[in-house]
Amino acid sequence: MGKEKINFNLKTPKGTKDWSGSDALLRDRIFTTIADVFKRHGGTALDTPVFELREILAGKYGEDSKLIYDLQDQGGEICSLRYDLTVPFARWLAMNPDVRSMKRYHIAKVYRRDQPAVSKGRMREFYQCDFDVAGTFDPMVPDAEVLKIVTEVFEGLGWQGRYSIKINHRKILDGVFEVCGVPAEKIRPISSAVDKLDKMPWADVRKEMVEEKGLDGAVADKIETYVVKKGTRDLLETLLKDEALLANASAKAGLEDMGLLMDYLEAFGVLDRISFDMSLARGLDYYTGVIYEVVTEGSAPAVSSSAAEAEKPQKSSKKSKSKGGNADDDDRSNDPTLGVGSVAAGGRYDNLVGMFLPKAQIPCVGVSFGVDRIFSITKARLEREQSAQALRNSEVDVFVMAFGGKGFTGMLKERMNVCQTLWNAGIKAEFSYKVKPKLPQQFKAAEQGGVPFAVILGEDELAQGKVRVKEMGLEEGHPEKEGVLVDLATLPAEVNARLARRQDQASAVTQQLEGLNVGASTN
Amino acid sequence: MGKEKINFNLKTPKGTKDWSGSDALLRDRIFTTIADVFKRHGGTALDTPVFELREILAGKYGEDSKLIYDLQDQGGEICSLRYDLTVPFARWLAMNPDVRSMKRYHIAKVYRRDQPAVSKGRMREFYQCDFDVAGTFDPMVPDAEVLKIVTEVFEGLGWQGRYSIKINHRKILDGVFEVCGVPAEKIRPISSAVDKLDKMPWADVRKEMVEEKGLDGAVADKIETYVVKKGTRDLLETLLKDEALLANASAKAGLEDMGLLMDYLEAFGVLDRISFDMSLARGLDYYTGVIYEVVTEGSAPAVSSSAAEAEKPQKSSKKSKSKGGNADDDDRSNDPTLGVGSVAAGGRYDNLVGMFLPKAQIPCVGVSFGVDRIFSITKARLEREQSAQALRNSEVDVFVMAFGGKGFTGMLKERMNVCQTLWNAGIKAEFSYKVKPKLPQQFKAAEQGGVPFAVILGEDELAQGKVRVKEMGLEEGHPEKEGVLVDLATLPAEVNARLARRQDQASAVTQQLEGLNVGASTN
């Protein structure tokens, strides 16, 4: 062992990375926040294998199929790594015909052999967090709940007023194209071109339509009059007065859906988070109804003025609540979130399950959260706000240490015993693995770990059944600066009381800023 | 879409399965229990890619390397799916030379192209839960904490008195083989033979040693006198009187380690969970110090009488606390856990990191929990104990429903609005997606989901700002059998109070039985 010459690359494969330390901890908290919302809405977990039979994935992703990772044929079945969580869910529904309806969530890694751009967060292995509702229900009710879930996730993450949900409807879009005179076979390519309006100006999109995709210039100009429209109820009302549109069956059905959806979003109290954006088209072929995409403040230059209006009251209320002095609220131009694109997206797909089992057609609607982007934005915000507490490596609350004069034994077993008491009470605790550690070393370890409390054992005090509880980093003059002597018997209660107090204080200061329950116990 | 003929297998790949419903929920709770223990001990999360460069895995698993899944060469790097979580951890340590010490945990799937035995829980894709301490410390201190963690995990799972930790030490074992006269090149093969003593009688093991591995019969007989020994401190004391053994440097070092370890386990209050078992050898080559394996009651016919003695007091205390009438405690012979083998295993491996970076030798000690086996045993126990609550699909606490007489509108938006109030208060709630659902349908949905509370909207009551809160399944004559009218303004508080009360009652009854916080809110 260890004798042979080492001549290999010590690295992770291209487009993959290790997650460790405070990054892993922060990402776990984002997962917990998202999963808690999913569970609150009755979501049940589904976990599928990381690879599927290759034929299950075939024909689902169009030209992106070339990005699928294949397993080597080592004898037996031919398999590929999953490309998303939606197709495995549809496969599962087809395999379980007794399940006619389900709210499922799935938080797991997916794999795409894309050209990675690690700095932009485009990886070959990355996490998706999906929530989907399968089943035949009255129109737009589950669709509205999925959008309510989107608001709860981002507000749970502390993004109040910093995100916007763009929505549109495939049937409205298809109707618009028909009304404008787009030939049937050009509807999907023209739809793809429209979807680029958040990245390029209309002139460029028009050029693509006319020069690349051979659309009549007059038709393109007619399309423009529709797809630049943004709003909420006002836009819906405008469109409902458009007689040409109302005469189109597809557009009419879509507009009716959109009306219902807005009513329901209002009942859920989240209509003001929505922007009805007719330029939203979404890439994937399988959507059949409402579609949506969540953009953050910085990444959404095209958010309509009416949606911005709707958000204003919230933003100012947030401002007044955040702690004074920090003028961070106005540095939008420096916002590191700029340009990261969408952070969640989804829509209704009524025909996917039928690709596996035509008899078992089960309509679905869902959303997928892009955790890597959400992570980057949240981390940048915490760093800006210098929430150092949020960037700890572990969650340890107590460091158990000992000191003594001449002939000090190190009190290892005593430290172990006190740790045991804390652990058995559910308290997160550590101690030095040295038999005879020096006190400054132990304090340094606690400081480096950001551990908030020290429990200090001294021989004389311990002989009287007492130990010292000391909050780290207290200012000079604080009544507990030198720590407090407590009975061993009441140590867990004393520590828990101080942890709760500290947590309350931290919440009061950072609740609005952080959103995430960062630094708090996750129990 | 959906038009082409479907001629493929609708299944998951061989040796893999989907996890859904109550199984997924129970498994998630096992993960949470385990992760909470890891965090309590200062563990930090590490997440590595599911595949590694193939050369990273090469030469680590001996002849089991043939079980590694390879990715197809699609241009670019040659990769394989990870076989365990230990080698990726060692690779990470070698890549991060600034990290000299770390407590890391990792809960993730690993992949082995073994012949699957789904009924026995042997899968090609399965989860491991690993905790490892890397770094140079005073002897046996982290080793003792890892074993303390093992006890906290199984006691957190409610397995008090139902498991035993077998420990041994590679240096003692190697010393024994040397003292008995095993030639150096035969030590590993003979060690492998000894490891089978939990599955076959000594006569068969002796036969393998002598006939297959060419060991002198007299040497084998001498080995027997050692490897049948089991005990705790008594065995250690016996061995410390064995002058031949003490004269062997390896055995002496191992016995000193074992003495320290027992002292530390006593300080941690868990020495009584340990059985020093000289037949434990463990398969993997890379162990260099203490080794251990956790067996459940039924799967451990060879547990020493002294260890069984030590566990007795606990067992009887458990019995006296569990609810009367259930005579389950004595059906050990029918225990479905029989023969499932070990549920956790690990040991010290000081040379693995050096295989990647000889300069950066970092000693490690760790443990891996076999979640699939733990899951099967826990599920069987819950089913035996008919803890129906534990086997729900989701965690929803409230079903919001409505009823009305002639001209009933369904009150969809009102139900949505009440759900919104509950969700915003963090309460898990559902409602029917039907515009006009019938009351019996709604009650049936709540019952099928095992939802404990109904919030019922009636038009007249709602006009007065009131709704009815009704606990499902109350007996006739219960004062709240027909539900209680509460003000909408206080609804979240009223629901939370009832959930807390119900939780307290459930805990009192099932705490000892279930161990897991089953049926409780996970917040």
Side-chain angles (χ1 to χ4, degrees):
Chain A
M1 246 167 137
K3 272 183 188 167
E4 61 271 57
K5 185 152 172 5
I6 291 167
N7 55 358
F8 52 78
N9 274 323
L10 202 55
K11 66 186 282 290
T12 62
K14 188 176 175 181
T16 70
K17 58 173 282 192
D18 297 316
W19 288 83
S20 64
S22 57
D23 281 1
L25 194 58
L26 178 58
R27 201 186 53 171
D28 270 356
R29 282 174 178 162
I30 292 171
F31 288 150
T32 304
T33 301
I34 295 175
D36 281 349
V37 175
F38 292 167
K39 290 178 198 170
R40 199 185 300 151
H41 287 262
T44 71
L46 177 66
D47 176 30
T48 64
V50 80
F51 47 81
E52 296 274 346
L53 296 182
R54 194 167 303 165
E55 57 206 14
I56 296 285
L57 304 189
K60 305 299 181 304
Y61 302 108
E63 64 178 27
D64 282 349
S65 294
K66 66 179 188 294
L67 303 181
I68 294 176
Y69 273 97
D70 291 329
L71 291 188
Q72 192 172 304
D73 179 2
Q74 295 171 284
E77 297 159 340
I78 305 297
C79 299
S80 299
L81 298 188
R82 64 182 163 218
Y83 182 87
D84 65 11
L85 304 176
T86 312
V87 167
F89 177 46
R91 189 264 304 149
W92 186 89
L93 285 169
M95 270 175 69
N96 291 274
D98 50 317
V99 177
R100 307 302 306 172
S101 71
M102 185 184 196
K103 294 177 192 166
R104 92 86 172 75
Y105 71 89
H106 194 176
I107 298 181
K109 287 173 173 175
V110 300
Y111 298 87
R112 298 182 186 179
R113 287 184 64 258
D114 212 339
Q115 201 48 40
V118 177
S119 64
K120 288 184 192 160
R122 187 164 74 233
M123 303 294 287
R124 291 180 155 195
E125 177 189 62
F126 59 97
Y127 265 97
Q128 288 194 331
C129 297
D130 282 23
F131 184 95
D132 293 81
V133 182
T136 304
F137 303 108
D138 281 326
M140 307 315 288
V141 186
D143 313 59
E145 185 167 359
V146 169
L147 287 167
K148 166 70 174 148
I149 285 171
V150 171
T151 67
E152 286 184 34
V153 164
F154 287 106
E155 281 157 43
L157 291 167
W159 292 27
Q160 288 81 352
R162 305 191 188 208
Y163 72 97
S164 172
I165 306 173
K166 298 199 275 186
I167 62 172
N168 198 4
H169 198 296
R170 272 285 163 88
K171 287 184 183 166
I172 298 177
L173 213 49
D174 289 355
V176 163
F177 295 140
E178 284 169 20
V179 166
C180 293
V182 179
E185 76 280 6
K186 285 193 175 151
I187 284 188
R188 284 276 74 80
I190 293 303
S191 182
S192 296
V194 166
D195 200 45
K196 296 176 184 163
L197 270 175
D198 60 343
K199 296 180 207 77
M200 50 169 84
W202 168 253
D204 292 351
V205 171
R206 185 183 190 280
K207 207 169 159 190
E208 181 178 324
M209 287 179 173
V210 176
E211 292 181 16
E212 282 176 42
K213 294 178 172 165
L215 192 71
D216 184 325
V219 173
D221 293 337
K222 218 166 164 190
I223 292 174
E224 184 191 7
T225 63
Y226 285 104
V227 296
V228 295
K229 291 186 202 289
K230 297 171 210 305
T232 35
R233 283 212 192 265
D234 52 338
L235 174 54
L236 184 64
E237 276 154 32
T238 306
L239 295 173
L240 284 171
K241 287 174 198 145
D242 184 327
E243 287 184 14
L245 214 51
L246 282 184
N248 177 286
S250 173
K252 186 163 184 285
L255 290 170
E256 280 168 7
D257 274 357
M258 204 59 112
L260 270 181
L261 181 65
M262 289 188 188
D263 287 352
Y264 296 158
L265 291 175
E266 192 158 39
F268 282 144
V270 294
L271 185 58
D272 60 350
R273 274 74 148 185
I274 305 291
S275 163
F276 180 7
D277 184 330
M278 293 195 67
S279 71
L280 179 72
R282 304 277 296 123
L284 282 166
D285 279 356
Y286 56 57
Y287 289 116
T288 55
V290 63
I291 47 179
Y292 31 82
E293 202 169 277
V294 182
V295 291
T296 58
E297 212 170 38
S299 66
V303 167
S304 76
S305 57
S306 68
E309 284 298 315
E311 278 171 14
K312 252 187 196 159
Q314 246 195 310
K315 227 171 263 164
S316 51
S317 82
K318 192 206 143 292
K319 219 175 212 171
S320 63
K321 275 183 208 161
S322 67
K323 57 177 171 183
N326 268 8
D328 262 5
D329 280 50
D330 289 311
D331 66 349
R332 284 195 219 174
S333 56
N334 295 319
D335 195 314
T337 65
L338 198 92
V340 296
S342 72
V343 286
R348 173 164 285 282
Y349 51 100
D350 285 347
N351 301 329
L352 189 61
V353 179
M355 290 181 76
F356 293 106
L357 209 63
K359 289 172 295 181
Q361 196 54 279
I362 299 181
C364 297
V365 60
V367 63
S368 180
F369 293 87
V371 180
D372 296 70
R373 283 179 172 172
I374 292 172
F375 167 83
S376 304
I377 295 167
T378 306
K379 185 182 174 185
R381 184 161 60 84
L382 291 177
E383 281 173 348
R384 255 187 343 225
E385 290 160 2
Q386 296 176 304
S387 305
Q389 207 193 356
L391 302 174
R392 290 174 57 194
N393 279 316
S394 82
E395 303 175 350
V396 171
D397 286 323
V398 179
F399 200 103
V400 175
M401 46 184 84
F403 75 100
K406 217 175 157 185
F408 175 57
T409 60
M411 302 177 79
L412 174 58
K413 290 184 199 166
E414 291 81 358
R415 287 183 281 129
M416 287 176 155
N417 201 265
V418 170
C419 269
Q420 185 216 169
T421 308
L422 294 171
W423 290 331
N424 291 352
I427 295 167
K428 304 185 186 81
E430 273 188 317
F431 65 104
S432 164
Y433 285 165
K434 276 189 191 299
V435 171
K436 271 197 240 181
K438 296 196 170 68
L439 193 61
Q441 284 177 335
Q442 296 174 87
F443 268 113
K444 198 178 160 201
E447 269 163 27
Q448 282 175 342
V451 181
F453 287 93
V455 167
I456 308 164
L457 279 58
E459 273 162 356
D460 295 343
E461 292 164 355
L462 196 62
Q464 297 161 36
K466 288 183 191 298
V467 295
R468 191 169 292 273
V469 178
K470 180 174 158 34
E471 183 164 356
M472 304 285 289
L474 287 184
E475 286 163 22
E476 289 296 337
H478 190 285
E480 293 199 0
K481 172 71 184 165
E482 298 308 317
V484 191
L485 265 188
V486 306
D487 277 343
L488 253 184
T490 60
L491 178 64
E494 292 280 352
V495 169
N496 274 327
R498 280 168 180 75
L499 283 171
R501 199 192 308 152
R502 187 182 158 90
Q503 185 51 36
D504 285 347
Q505 287 164 356
S507 302
V509 175
T510 58
Q511 206 171 26
Q512 280 301 109
L513 277 172
E514 295 190 4
L516 275 176
N517 202 12
V518 166
S521 156
T522 56
N523 288 331
Chain B
M1 245 166 136
K3 274 183 189 169
E4 61 271 58
K5 186 156 168 13
I6 291 168
N7 55 358
F8 53 79
N9 273 323
L10 203 55
K11 66 185 280 293
T12 62
K14 188 176 175 182
T16 70
K17 58 173 282 192
D18 297 316
W19 288 83
S20 64
S22 57
D23 281 1
L25 194 59
L26 177 58
R27 201 186 54 171
D28 270 355
R29 282 173 178 165
I30 293 171
F31 288 149
T32 303
T33 301
I34 296 176
D36 281 350
V37 175
F38 292 167
K39 290 178 197 168
R40 198 186 300 150
H41 286 262
T44 70
L46 176 66
D47 176 30
T48 64
V50 81
F51 48 81
E52 296 273 346
L53 297 182
R54 195 167 302 164
E55 58 205 15
I56 297 284
L57 304 189
K60 306 300 181 304
Y61 303 107
E63 63 177 28
D64 282 348
S65 294
K66 66 178 186 296
L67 303 181
I68 294 175
Y69 273 97
D70 292 328
L71 290 189
Q72 191 171 305
D73 180 1
Q74 293 170 285
E77 297 160 340
I78 305 298
C79 299
S80 299
L81 298 188
R82 65 183 162 217
Y83 181 85
D84 64 10
L85 304 176
T86 312
V87 167
F89 177 47
R91 189 264 305 152
W92 185 89
L93 284 168
M95 271 176 69
N96 291 272
D98 51 316
V99 177
R100 307 301 306 172
S101 71
M102 185 185 197
K103 293 176 191 166
R104 90 88 174 74
Y105 71 89
H106 194 176
I107 298 180
K109 288 173 173 176
V110 300
Y111 299 88
R112 299 182 186 177
R113 287 185 64 257
D114 213 341
Q115 200 49 41
V118 178
S119 65
K120 288 185 191 161
R122 189 165 72 230
M123 304 293 288
R124 291 180 156 195
E125 177 188 62
F126 59 96
Y127 265 97
Q128 288 194 332
C129 297
D130 281 24
F131 184 95
D132 293 82
V133 183
T136 305
F137 303 108
D138 282 325
M140 307 315 289
V141 185
D143 313 58
E145 184 167 357
V146 169
L147 288 167
K148 166 71 174 148
I149 284 171
V150 171
T151 67
E152 287 183 33
V153 163
F154 288 107
E155 281 158 42
L157 291 167
W159 291 30
Q160 288 81 352
R162 304 190 190 208
Y163 73 96
S164 171
I165 307 173
K166 298 198 277 185
I167 62 172
N168 199 4
H169 198 297
R170 271 286 162 87
K171 287 184 183 167
I172 299 177
L173 214 50
D174 289 354
V176 162
F177 294 140
E178 284 169 21
V179 166
C180 293
V182 178
E185 75 281 5
K186 286 191 174 150
I187 283 188
R188 285 277 74 82
I190 294 302
S191 183
S192 296
V194 165
D195 199 46
K196 296 176 184 163
L197 270 176
D198 60 342
K199 295 179 208 79
M200 48 170 84
W202 168 253
D204 293 349
V205 170
R206 186 182 189 282
K207 205 171 159 188
E208 180 178 325
M209 287 179 174
V210 175
E211 292 179 17
E212 283 176 42
K213 295 177 172 164
L215 192 71
D216 185 326
V219 173
D221 293 337
K222 220 167 162 188
I223 291 174
E224 184 191 7
T225 65
Y226 284 104
V227 297
V228 295
K229 291 185 201 291
K230 298 171 212 302
T232 36
R233 283 209 192 266
D234 52 335
L235 174 54
L236 184 64
E237 276 153 32
T238 306
L239 295 173
L240 284 170
K241 286 173 198 146
D242 184 327
E243 288 183 13
L245 214 52
L246 282 183
N248 178 286
S250 173
K252 186 164 182 285
L255 290 170
E256 280 168 7
D257 274 357
M258 204 60 112
L260 271 181
L261 181 64
M262 289 189 187
D263 287 353
Y264 296 157
L265 291 175
E266 192 158 37
F268 281 145
V270 295
L271 185 57
D272 60 349
R273 274 74 148 187
I274 305 291
S275 163
F276 180 9
D277 185 330
M278 292 195 67
S279 72
L280 179 72
R282 304 277 296 123
L284 281 166
D285 280 356
Y286 57 57
Y287 290 116
T288 55
V290 64
I291 47 179
Y292 30 83
E293 200 168 280
V294 182
V295 290
T296 57
E297 212 170 37
S299 66
V303 167
S304 75
S305 56
S306 68
E309 283 297 317
E311 278 171 13
K312 254 187 194 158
Q314 247 196 307
K315 226 171 262 162
S316 50
S317 81
K318 192 206 143 293
K319 217 176 212 169
S320 63
K321 275 184 210 160
S322 67
K323 58 177 170 183
N326 268 8
D328 263 4
D329 279 52
D330 288 310
D331 66 349
R332 286 195 219 173
S333 56
N334 295 319
D335 195 311
T337 66
L338 196 93
V340 295
S342 73
V343 286
R348 173 164 284 283
Y349 51 100
D350 285 347
N351 301 328
L352 189 61
V353 179
M355 289 181 77
F356 293 106
L357 208 64
K359 290 172 295 180
Q361 195 55 278
I362 299 181
C364 297
V365 61
V367 63
S368 180
F369 293 88
V371 181
D372 296 72
R373 282 177 172 173
I374 292 172
F375 167 83
S376 304
I377 295 167
T378 306
K379 185 182 175 186
R381 184 161 58 85
L382 291 178
E383 281 172 348
R384 252 180 354 217
E385 290 160 2
Q386 295 178 303
S387 304
Q389 208 193 354
L391 302 174
R392 290 174 56 194
N393 279 317
S394 82
E395 303 175 350
V396 171
D397 286 323
V398 178
F399 201 102
V400 174
M401 46 185 86
F403 75 100
K406 217 176 158 186
F408 175 55
T409 61
M411 302 176 80
L412 174 58
K413 290 182 199 167
E414 292 81 357
R415 287 183 281 131
M416 287 175 156
N417 201 266
V418 169
C419 270
Q420 185 217 168
T421 308
L422 295 170
W423 290 330
N424 291 352
I427 295 167
K428 305 186 185 78
E430 272 188 318
F431 66 103
S432 165
Y433 285 165
K434 275 189 192 298
V435 172
K436 272 197 240 183
K438 295 196 170 69
L439 193 61
Q441 284 177 335
Q442 297 175 85
F443 268 114
K444 197 177 161 203
E447 269 163 29
Q448 282 176 341
V451 181
F453 287 93
V455 167
I456 307 163
L457 279 57
E459 273 162 356
D460 294 344
E461 292 164 354
L462 196 62
Q464 298 161 35
K466 288 181 192 297
V467 296
R468 192 169 290 274
V469 178
K470 179 172 158 36
E471 184 165 355
M472 303 284 290
L474 288 184
E475 286 163 23
E476 288 296 338
H478 190 285
E480 292 199 0
K481 172 71 184 166
E482 297 307 319
V484 191
L485 263 188
V486 307
D487 277 343
L488 252 182
T490 60
L491 178 64
E494 293 280 352
V495 169
N496 273 327
R498 279 168 181 75
L499 282 171
R501 199 191 308 152
R502 187 182 158 90
Q503 185 51 36
D504 285 348
Q505 287 164 355
S507 301
V509 174
T510 58
Q511 203 171 29
Q512 281 301 111
L513 278 172
E514 295 189 4
L516 276 176
N517 203 12
V518 167
S521 156
T522 56
N523 288 332

